[in-house]
Amino acid sequence: FPSHDTDGSGYKSIIVEDGGCRNPVSESSFILEEFPDGNKSSRLHERLEGMDVFTFGIRIAPQTIKELVSHFDLNLLETDYFLFHQANKMMLEKVKSKLKLESSKVPINIDRFGNTSCATIPLLMVTEMKKDLESKSMDLILSAFGVGLSRGAVKLHTRNIVVADLIEI
């Protein structure tokens, strides 16, 4: 069962063009290019095709959850929480709507932290679920997507786990 995969054709949707093995840093890496919207960036800055990523996210996250549920014969109603990569609030609302999930089962913290990349789900667990994770047994479904364009989902059962406090610096 492919609970995760990457569609490599979407690699240009989220990319830093220089700075790795494929394209080492060179003098031309630092040249600022101006875009039609007035923004400037170099090949060392992340470039994002927002609509491509948004469309991918609202299509692939629900599909990935449905595949996971179908493959393992899970019942969405028995899942305590659904933890999604906190890419943007509109995307989270669309995914929640497509899966017909109750708001109370989809914690959100993007309004406080923004998109923290690969840390969004662990940060969500620490900031929004610490008390429940430490005191209850729970069934969770986690789903993330991003660079590549990649996707992944997992069903996780927890029981009274230790959750570190968030330390903001």
Side-chain angles (χ1 to χ4, degrees), residues 51-70:
M51 284 310 297
D52 291 351
V53 176
F54 182 83
T55 302
F56 175 80
I58 64 172
R59 177 180 55 82
I60 210 68
Q63 177 184 323
T64 304
I65 298 297
K66 288 175 183 175
E67 289 172 3
L68 179 77
V69 166
S70 174

Side-chain angles (χ1 to χ4, degrees), residues 2-164:
S3 61
H4 65 282
D5 69 6
T6 297
D7 173 0
S9 69
Y11 78 97
K12 285 192 174 186
S13 296
I14 306 173
I15 191 169
V16 176
E17 295 178 291
D18 287 359
C21 295
R22 182 174 35 100
N23 293 323
V25 174
S26 67
E27 284 186 36
S28 64
S29 301
F30 295 93
I31 297 171
L32 289 178
E33 179 182 347
E34 186 165 351
F35 292 88
D37 62 3
N39 287 322
K40 295 179 183 177
S41 70
S42 75
R43 294 176 59 86
L44 295 171
H45 292 108
E46 180 179 73
R47 296 191 183 184
L48 173 74
E49 294 295 331
M51 284 310 297
D52 291 351
V53 176
F54 182 83
T55 302
F56 175 80
I58 64 172
R59 177 180 55 82
I60 210 68
Q63 177 184 323
T64 304
I65 298 297
K66 288 175 183 175
E67 289 172 3
L68 179 77
V69 166
S70 174
H71 183 80
F72 291 105
D73 196 27
L74 304 174
N75 182 343
L76 287 180
L77 297 175
E78 293 174 0
T79 302
D80 296 301
Y81 290 104
F82 297 83
L83 309 181
F84 297 110
H85 168 54
Q86 304 286 295
N88 78 51
K89 191 166 185 176
M90 187 183 302
M91 191 180 298
L92 291 166
E93 293 298 329
K94 291 274 189 195
V95 171
K96 182 177 72 174
S97 174
K98 283 187 171 192
L99 291 169
K100 297 178 174 66
L101 301 176
E102 297 174 31
S103 292
S104 62
K105 289 189 169 197
V106 184
I108 294 175
N109 69 359
I110 191 165
D111 54 330
R112 291 176 35 216
F113 299 101
N115 182 342
T116 58
S117 188
C118 60
T120 64
I121 292 176
L123 184 61
L124 190 62
M125 294 171 84
V126 169
T127 62
E128 306 303 311
M129 304 177 58
K130 180 178 173 51
K131 189 175 181 180
D132 283 349
L133 287 168
E134 290 180 331
S135 64
K136 298 179 184 177
S137 293
M138 293 192 298
D139 287 311
L140 311 173
I141 291 182
L142 289 60
S143 178
F145 51 90
V147 176
L149 297 164
S150 304
R151 67 181 179 138
V154 63
K155 181 208 181 268
L156 180 66
H157 179 77
T158 67
R159 186 178 66 223
N160 303 51
I161 64 173
V162 176
V163 180

